[in-house]
Amino acid sequence: MLSYIVRRLLIAIPTLILVSVFVFVLQKLLPGDPALVLAGEERDPEVLAFIREKYRLNDPILYQYFSWMKAMLQGDLGISLRTNQPVTQLIADKLPVTIQLAVMAMVIAFAIGIPAGILSAVRKGTAVDYIANFVALSGLSIPNFWLGIMLIMLVSVHLGWLPASGYESPFVDPLKSLQTMIMPAFVLGTALAATLMRHTRSAMLGVLKADYVRTARAKGLRENVVILKHAFRNALLPIVTLSALLFGELLAGAVLTEQIFTIPGFGKLIVDAVFTRDYAVVQGIVMCTAAGFILMNLIADVLYFLLNPRMRSSL
């Protein structure tokens, strides 16, 4: 297993290099001049020349890329052109917020999507199945921004139960942090729950037809034991893969949801960085997001080994 993990990590190295090349080149292809954005209304040629020299904007692209890569390998992602802060500090400030939102959204998605998918598969063709599929289709169809606005209008404006926006660290005030994050987490979690429900249902329908499930029922085992211990455990592999990908997407930042609820996470940070041509911030966030995706896929691979003995015996 250790050798397999090492091989996966070695494969991740060229992947990260390709991501770095793409994000660096695409940034340079964007129209506009970041020096003009930084200068604001001051378009003095001497000021523009000073800005370009300070941030090495006049250097050849290859030199800029390799200088950035060398600094990144040393843990230096550069300085933000907009705030003049280290990018590592910005990411360290915003990443916990995004992780908290992602974890809460995944908990809601698991709590709704997996039980609904199991129940829908077990009760296939019944009213329960049709209702679960209708709810899942609704969750996939309703835009996150619309649901977020409606929740703010109902829960915050009319009922006054929860704050409409803002953020509080759970280390400062856990209760207020939960109150400010529960609505955006619910908005994201319902959409993810719909996806998880459909994949869980599909996986369970395939497993319930297997011979070992019929054998377990023939032995007289209770139905809940057959469903949860024999069927659901073998249906977990595609669910684990999907969950890793969904969590990786959440780590990239839920742009619209964070904007609606004014959450200072990755989504808001990268939107501000793109509009201001803040190269270092965009590059740093993309690289962290790519590393997050690779890490989640690695975790999914490790879970495969724990859930499927055949994979362990094949190595």
Side-chain angles (χ1 to χ4, degrees), residues 100-101 104-105 108 151 155 162-163 176-189 261 263:
Q100 181 186 354
L101 179 60
M104 291 180 65
I108 293 172
L151 282 177
V155 178
L162 296 171
K176 188 174 181 181
S177 177
L178 180 63
Q179 291 174 339
T180 56
M181 294 292 275
I182 190 64
M183 277 203 298
F186 180 79
V187 169
L188 294 173
F261 291 96
I263 298 174

Side-chain angles (χ1 to χ4, degrees), residues 4 236-242 297-312:
Y4 179 76
L236 272 176
L237 293 182
I239 299 173
V240 167
T241 304
L242 177 65
N297 277 280
L298 181 61
I299 292 174
D301 289 340
V302 172
L303 290 176
Y304 282 172
F305 279 89
L306 299 177
L307 295 171
N308 192 350
R310 288 175 296 181
M311 293 189 67
R312 295 196 296 269

Side-chain angles (χ1 to χ4, degrees), residues 125-139:
T126 65
V128 174
D129 184 24
Y130 294 132
I131 293 172
N133 277 283
F134 173 77
V135 173
L137 184 61
S138 301

Side-chain angles (χ1 to χ4, degrees), residues 14-285:
T15 303
L16 288 173
I17 292 175
L18 285 175
V19 170
S20 69
V21 171
F22 277 124
V23 68
F24 193 87
V25 172
L26 290 176
Q27 281 262 95
K28 298 300 181 182
L29 293 178
L30 289 175
D33 186 353
L36 295 177
V37 176
L38 289 173
E41 297 181 358
E42 181 61 53
R43 300 298 173 92
D44 190 316
E46 293 184 359
V47 174
L48 293 176
F50 172 77
I51 292 174
R52 293 191 179 100
E53 181 66 26
K54 178 181 179 182
Y55 294 103
R56 297 182 176 180
L57 299 176
N58 290 327
D59 293 343
I61 293 180
L62 282 177
Y63 181 80
Q64 292 183 42
Y65 172 75
F66 285 112
S67 298
W68 171 62
M69 283 291 291
K70 180 181 178 182
M72 184 173 62
L73 292 174
Q74 297 173 351
D76 181 10
L77 295 177
I79 303 296
S80 170
L81 302 179
R82 181 169 56 94
T83 64
N84 205 33
Q85 290 180 277
V87 175
T88 50
Q89 183 61 48
L90 289 174
I91 291 176
D93 292 339
K94 307 299 183 183
L95 185 58
V97 180
T98 298
I99 290 178
Q100 181 186 354
L101 179 60
V103 170
M104 291 180 65
M106 289 303 297
V107 168
I108 293 172
F110 285 142
I112 298 174
I114 292 180
I118 295 174
L119 190 60
S120 178
V122 173
R123 302 291 181 85
K124 180 185 176 183
T126 65
V128 174
D129 184 24
Y130 294 132
I131 293 172
N133 277 283
F134 173 77
V135 173
L137 184 61
S138 301
L140 291 172
S141 305
I142 296 175
N144 286 346
F145 71 88
W146 183 86
L147 181 59
I149 293 172
M150 292 300 104
L151 282 177
I152 290 174
M153 293 292 295
L154 175 63
V155 178
S156 300
V157 177
H158 291 291
L159 299 177
W161 289 350
L162 296 171
S165 61
Y167 173 76
E168 187 68 51
S169 171
F171 300 105
V172 176
D173 190 338
L175 179 60
K176 188 174 181 181
S177 177
L178 180 63
Q179 291 174 339
T180 56
M181 294 292 275
I182 190 64
M183 277 203 298
F186 180 79
V187 169
L188 294 173
T190 50
L192 300 180
T195 305
L196 275 173
M197 178 269 167
R198 295 181 67 86
H199 280 75
T200 303
R201 179 182 183 274
S202 178
M204 285 292 295
L205 286 175
V207 170
L208 287 173
K209 299 176 183 178
D211 292 337
Y212 56 82
V213 174
R214 287 195 293 267
T215 302
R217 283 172 172 161
K219 288 181 178 179
L221 297 178
R222 290 177 300 182
E223 186 65 14
N224 62 332
V225 174
V226 174
I227 298 300
L228 297 178
K229 184 177 180 180
H230 294 274
F232 178 61
R233 183 176 179 181
N234 288 278
L236 272 176
L237 293 182
I239 299 173
V240 167
T241 304
L242 177 65
S243 300
L245 294 175
L246 292 177
F247 192 76
E249 290 180 5
L250 290 176
L251 290 180
V255 176
L256 289 177
T257 303
E258 290 184 7
Q259 291 284 80
I260 291 171
F261 291 96
T262 321
I263 298 174
F266 261 14
K268 191 173 188 306
L269 179 62
I270 196 169
V271 168
D272 294 340
V274 169
F275 279 118
T276 56
R277 301 293 301 275
D278 200 338
Y279 289 149
V281 174
V282 175
Q283 292 164 183
I285 292 177

